[in-house]
Amino acid sequence: METTYSLYLNLLSQEKSDVLKELLHACVDEICGHPGPTYYKFMTRMDWSKEEYEDVYKLIITLLRNPACLYLIEEKMPAEYHDLPEAIQKNILTCLKIRQEQLTRALLMEHSKRKLQTLVDFDWRLKLVMGTSKMASLREPLLQLDLITEDREARRIIDVEMNKDELDTLITTMETIVQ
């Protein structure tokens, strides 16, 4: 407990406030799929051992991954949040307000990937079929669509080839889903 208290005091010092903000945003970056914080990036600016850094990192990541934090309401925040000093709570809340949309999107995608196969990207190519063995001059445009999906186990590519009528049907269906 004494070690945790000294960490909080170290975080609270005015000159360390910028480092705390940078650490919070780096943790959000990691949740959003970008490179996250490392001990070596912060070790010269904070007087922490590697274990102390890991404890603070785990606490921040746990807080930021908790969907209750996205409400931005003090009463709905998890218990770990309320155990922190008020100045640190304020910095966490400020970071959450700034990055709420990105964090929400990342947590929803994470949850979705655990439960279902989720579309993460797509690629498309337009081809013009000039003829076949049966018809010498067909000249039919075809869209080749690669749907890249992900779930808990793997990443898959679903290859779909459509003519103009099938593409129109797909677009109409997608528009009704979005509305």
Side-chain angles (χ1 to χ4, degrees):
M1 184 67 184
E2 185 61 38
T3 306
T4 306
Y5 185 73
S6 64
L7 279 176
Y8 294 158
L9 287 178
N10 193 359
L11 278 172
L12 285 172
S13 64
Q14 192 59 38
E15 67 269 2
K16 304 290 184 181
S17 177
D18 291 338
V19 178
L20 173 61
K21 291 174 187 173
E22 188 178 337
L23 179 61
L24 286 166
H25 285 283
C27 288
V28 172
D29 287 342
E30 182 178 304
I31 293 169
C32 293
H34 304 291
T38 61
Y39 170 68
Y40 300 103
K41 183 176 181 178
F42 292 96
M43 72 181 202
T44 57
R45 297 184 295 173
M46 295 299 234
D47 303 324
W48 296 347
S49 68
K50 185 149 177 92
E51 294 78 29
E52 291 170 330
Y53 167 81
E54 290 295 327
D55 289 344
V56 170
Y57 166 78
K58 286 177 188 170
L59 172 69
I60 291 172
I61 286 289
T62 303
L63 274 172
L64 295 176
R65 283 190 187 277
N66 189 329
C69 289
L70 297 174
Y71 287 111
L72 304 176
I73 300 171
E74 293 271 340
E75 295 80 36
K76 293 189 177 187
M77 291 299 221
E80 298 90 3
Y81 173 84
H82 294 290
D83 293 341
L84 297 170
E86 191 174 323
I88 295 175
Q89 288 179 7
K90 188 176 179 182
N91 280 322
I92 291 171
L93 211 51
T94 303
C95 177
L96 284 169
K97 285 177 184 175
I98 293 169
R99 307 286 298 270
Q100 181 184 19
E101 186 179 323
Q102 292 171 315
L103 202 52
T104 302
R105 203 173 323 122
L107 292 176
L108 283 172
M109 183 62 85
E110 223 174 69
H111 177 73
S112 175
K113 285 180 188 176
R114 274 184 271 154
K115 302 290 181 188
L116 304 166
Q117 195 169 6
T118 305
L119 179 68
V120 291
D121 202 1
F122 68 93
D123 191 16
W124 63 275
R125 290 169 296 290
L126 186 59
K127 297 179 176 181
L128 183 60
V129 178
M130 299 299 285
T132 66
S133 60
K134 295 180 182 179
M135 297 178 77
S137 60
L138 183 60
R139 301 185 81 115
E140 180 181 12
L142 291 177
L143 177 76
Q144 188 171 8
L145 180 63
D146 293 335
L147 302 172
I148 302 158
T149 62
E150 216 173 83
D151 62 13
R152 257 185 297 184
E153 288 96 37
R155 193 174 195 142
R156 295 182 182 90
I157 297 176
I158 301 169
D159 185 34
V160 181
E161 195 170 88
M162 296 177 269
N163 62 26
K164 186 175 180 344
D165 294 333
E166 293 167 332
L167 179 60
D168 287 339
T169 303
L170 175 69
I171 291 171
T172 304
T173 305
M174 296 297 272
E175 285 174 344
T176 59
I177 291 171
V178 173
Q179 293 173 1

